[in-house]
Amino acid sequence: MREAATATAEETGATADTPSIRPVPGSTPAGLPTGGAAPAAAAPSGSAGAAPAQPAGQPSPSPATPGSPEASAPSAATGTPGDSATNGDSAADAEPVTGNPASDAPDAAVDPAVVETSVSSVEDGHPEAAAVTVVARAERGGPVSLSPSRAGDFMQCPLLYRFRVIDRLPEKPSAAATRGTLVHAVLERLFDAPAAERTAPRAKSLIPGQWERLRESRPEVAELFADDPEGERLAQWLTEAEQLVERWFTLEDPTRLEPAERELFVETELESGLTLRGIIDRVDVAPTGEVRIVDYKTGKAPRPEYAEGALFQMKFYALVVWRLKQVIPRRLQLVYLGSGDVLTYDPVRADLERVERKLLALWEAIRHATETGDWRPRPTKLCGWCDHQAHCPAFGGTPPPYPLPVRVAGPGDA
């Protein structure tokens, strides 16, 4: 596995020639360039926001800009659940969830001994996700698409995938995931302002309004502070959101960034017929055409040995962009606001082909479970944060009646 590079230095911003747009679900990302399917090359020296030249297949460190800290080693992590919520795919799945069973867990990646390939299972933001309506069910009622979060659910526990996608069991809102939603909304809205006005004080001033907007669009989050009549916990929670927003300014300089896309819904159908979809936090495009996909995390960066799980989601998005626009992103960048780290990775074609094969195998397993009704629990230490223990056989519970037709296994079935 190629090591991803982690840095606390601010990455030079990619200045896009294309204005920021807000595409509707299913639309083609107009802000992205179209090119050949060859691996993306490094931009010429001196181009704004371009990644440095790097040999193919080598790690790509985040360059330090003048006056910024030098690249540092990854922060330590505990090997427990990942960022309280990753990227906002709930709308893309058309299986919205109100919380994450692991969202209040310590911020790190899942121990691969517990889950072979881990990605966080619920989104870290996207307040407008509920406004996106996507049909994700076939005629027989089964799922017909896959996103990073739902892929992560199935790899973590097939029964969890069933509870969320097939049964659509309700989940309690999470303070950590909701804070991630709020922070994402603030960082998105900040780019509405002229570059010179994108300051930390302005960003923090957006928090009250975005919190009110979030409460209006998702009334259930109000129950997070139902037992807080004096507002002390809410005040502390909002202060923590402010701290995350402030830390972002130590990692990136928004005055030097003009995103080509923000909160970009992407969707593509592979030759196999599998539909992949998701929502990308930010897409930067350099004047020379190189694409950088950026994702904000409100948790802490994983230890290096767990970086591959964190990068799965980003490679998923890179695959979708490649299949949509025939352009392999030059750089994938995870910005960890919880620890002040930036994890970067420069994908090549072989990376994305491997991810595609993995997703096809995963989808075949999901299809088989859907047809047979065989959704088995996979108990791990993540179970402590699961809302569905009352329905889980591993905890003495009983799943709800299976709502889909079941195919009886024949002699030729494994």
Side-chain angles (χ1 to χ4, degrees):
M1 179 185 82
R2 283 190 287 151
E3 293 295 332
T6 306
T8 54
E10 173 240 325
E11 180 106 350
T12 301
T15 303
D17 293 330
T18 307
S20 176
I21 64 172
R22 298 187 54 75
V24 297
S27 66
T28 300
L32 296 178
T34 301
S45 176
S47 62
Q54 196 73 21
Q58 295 300 312
S60 175
S62 299
T65 55
S68 65
E70 293 300 324
S72 64
S75 63
T78 61
T80 47
D83 189 79
S84 58
T86 61
N87 209 23
D89 300 313
S90 57
D93 294 317
E95 310 295 344
V97 291
T98 58
N100 179 8
S103 60
D104 292 316
D107 295 308
V110 180
D111 188 333
V114 177
V115 180
E116 181 180 356
T117 304
S118 167
V119 294
S120 302
S121 59
V122 177
E123 300 66 63
D124 193 13
H126 308 294
E128 297 171 2
V132 181
T133 302
V134 180
V135 177
R137 294 186 175 254
E139 292 182 2
R140 296 180 63 213
V144 296
S145 66
L146 194 61
S147 75
S149 58
R150 297 295 80 84
D153 286 348
F154 189 84
M155 289 187 287
Q156 175 184 323
C157 174
L159 188 57
L160 175 63
Y161 179 98
R162 176 200 151 169
F163 286 158
R164 285 180 166 162
V165 177
I166 305 297
D167 299 304
R168 301 193 184 193
L169 297 183
E171 296 180 351
K172 298 177 182 177
S174 156
T178 305
R179 183 170 53 238
T181 300
L182 176 61
V183 170
H184 273 70
V186 169
L187 298 187
E188 182 193 4
R189 294 271 69 85
L190 183 65
F191 284 104
D192 291 340
E197 298 177 18
R198 297 169 194 162
T199 64
R202 182 184 182 96
K204 290 196 295 183
S205 74
L206 296 174
I207 290 177
Q210 292 301 316
W211 169 232
E212 183 61 29
R213 182 176 175 226
L214 181 58
R215 290 176 58 190
E216 291 175 357
S217 63
R218 293 175 52 191
E220 70 274 11
V221 302
E223 67 184 75
L224 289 169
F225 304 102
D227 59 348
D228 183 36
E230 301 300 322
E232 295 179 0
R233 286 178 47 241
L234 174 59
Q236 176 60 33
W237 184 82
L238 292 172
T239 297
E240 292 167 355
E242 288 184 353
Q243 293 169 345
L244 292 172
V245 169
E246 282 187 305
R247 184 168 290 141
W248 178 59
F249 286 84
T250 70
L251 304 174
E252 296 190 290
D253 182 356
T255 66
R256 301 170 65 184
L257 293 166
E258 290 298 338
E261 309 284 359
R262 291 175 278 157
E263 301 293 305
L264 173 66
F265 179 93
V266 290
E267 179 181 59
T268 191
E269 183 176 316
L270 304 179
E271 290 183 1
S272 65
L274 171 60
T275 297
L276 304 179
R277 53 166 58 107
I279 300 177
I280 301 174
D281 286 348
R282 197 180 85 217
V283 179
D284 300 331
V285 181
T288 46
E290 285 79 9
V291 175
R292 178 173 63 185
I293 295 177
V294 180
D295 193 76
Y296 308 122
K297 301 294 184 189
T298 51
K300 299 177 182 178
R303 294 201 299 262
E305 61 266 34
Y306 303 139
E308 185 64 24
L311 285 168
F312 173 84
Q313 169 197 355
M314 302 301 285
K315 292 178 182 179
F316 184 109
Y317 292 143
L319 171 62
V320 175
V321 169
W322 179 37
R323 291 308 189 197
L324 272 176
K325 304 295 286 185
Q326 293 74 55
V327 172
I328 294 180
R330 175 66 178 89
R331 172 155 292 178
L332 310 178
Q333 179 166 306
L334 287 156
V335 181
Y336 286 93
L337 305 179
S339 58
D341 294 295
V342 176
L343 179 68
T344 67
Y345 187 87
D346 293 350
V348 295
R349 179 170 180 159
D351 288 328
L352 306 189
E353 290 174 337
R354 281 192 294 269
V355 170
E356 184 168 357
R357 290 193 297 270
K358 179 183 182 70
L359 291 173
L360 291 176
L362 184 65
W363 187 248
E364 179 60 24
I366 291 173
R367 184 198 62 78
H368 182 267
T370 301
E371 292 182 353
T372 62
D374 185 9
W375 300 93
R376 301 182 185 182
R378 182 177 296 153
T380 70
K381 55 188 173 183
L382 296 178
C383 294
W385 293 279
C386 184
D387 281 347
H388 307 305
Q389 291 185 12
H391 296 287
C392 180
F395 292 88
T398 301
Y402 192 57
L404 303 180
V406 174
R407 174 177 61 84
V408 178
D413 292 327

